[in-house]
Amino acid sequence: MIKISDIVRIGPVIPVLAFDSVDEGEAVCRALYEGGVKVLEITLRTEAGLGVIERASKIADDIVVGVGTITKPEQAAASRRAGAQFGVSPGLTRALHEAAVDAGLPLLPGCMTPTDLVHAIALGYETVKFFPAQQAGGVPMLNAFHGPFPTLRFCPTGGISPETAPNFLALPNVVCVGGSWMTPKAAVAAKDWAEITRLARAASQLGHHAAKAA
């Protein structure tokens, strides 16, 4: 079972994805993989989520498909059965944590406040999602967290763009970022998979900080 600490170091950006249909999702995931993006977060914000996870996980041996927006304990087992290799949640409860452990689904839990971080550390987490990153204080907030939480590593997600991503990636406690800019609605609607591959390739070259605090 691959660990979250390894998953977040595979590439600098994890795309956050939601799809209207399974076929659309598979096509977009293939386009992203073609551009060098090997870690995907496919959210359960639409009914197509589990079906896309099942298809995307079979695209290649080295693709790592995760499930996003886990808010209910029962979603962990269902996602694992569909082929998800990790989970991402917008927040963290003991019930979500225990469900993920029981399902064998490594979890990247969402945290926003110091209390959230203390709770995550108490449950054994070393890597968390800072969400919603831009709205919750962005780079200055993550800088402030580094002092009291020197060993914690973050994947900031929410409101991040290709222009601001390098500012986050330059921080010593950030290992990758999450973003949705690689799949603009117009490109998906037009089935412009080449554009998505282009954006994925550019995101993959933002600079990977795998060596940080390793």
Side-chain angles (χ1 to χ4, degrees):
M1 187 168 64
I2 190 167
K3 296 178 180 178
I4 288 293
S5 57
D6 295 325
I7 292 169
V8 294
R9 287 176 166 83
I10 292 173
V13 185
I14 298 176
V16 181
L17 309 165
F19 301 109
D20 292 331
S21 72
V22 174
D23 287 344
E24 175 190 271
E26 181 182 3
V28 170
C29 290
R30 286 187 181 278
L32 289 166
Y33 181 80
E34 202 64 31
V37 173
K38 296 183 178 181
V39 179
L40 310 173
E41 178 190 335
I42 297 167
T43 70
L44 298 181
R45 297 175 190 178
T46 67
E47 292 183 5
L50 289 177
V52 179
I53 289 168
E54 193 170 349
R55 293 254 198 105
S57 61
K58 297 171 183 173
I59 287 174
D61 290 339
D62 61 345
I63 200 167
V64 181
V65 178
V67 55
T69 324
I70 291 183
T71 56
K72 300 174 183 176
E74 59 268 23
Q75 291 171 323
S79 300
R80 188 74 189 90
R81 285 194 298 271
Q85 291 175 265
F86 70 101
V88 185
S89 64
L92 179 62
T93 64
R94 181 171 287 277
L96 273 181
H97 164 74
E98 290 175 351
V101 171
D102 289 346
L105 189 75
L107 186 65
L108 181 67
C111 296
M112 189 178 79
T113 68
T115 299
D116 293 341
L117 299 180
V118 170
H119 180 51
I121 291 168
L123 290 174
Y125 291 93
E126 299 173 348
T127 307
V128 300
K129 176 171 85 162
F130 178 49
F131 176 81
Q134 205 65 58
Q135 297 86 339
V139 169
M141 184 67 91
L142 285 164
N143 260 325
F145 282 157
H146 191 45
F149 306 105
T151 62
L152 210 53
R153 294 295 172 262
F154 294 89
C155 170
T157 304
I160 297 176
S161 68
E163 290 76 31
T164 60
N167 300 328
F168 285 93
L169 291 167
L171 297 174
N173 55 351
V174 169
V175 284
C176 67
V177 301
S180 56
W181 73 82
M182 287 172 276
T183 55
K185 289 181 180 179
V188 174
K191 299 185 178 182
D192 189 351
W193 313 135
E195 172 64 4
I196 290 171
T197 294
R198 185 190 71 78
L199 291 168
R201 190 167 290 120
S204 299
Q205 294 167 357
L206 277 173
H208 184 27
H209 298 253
K212 278 188 207 167

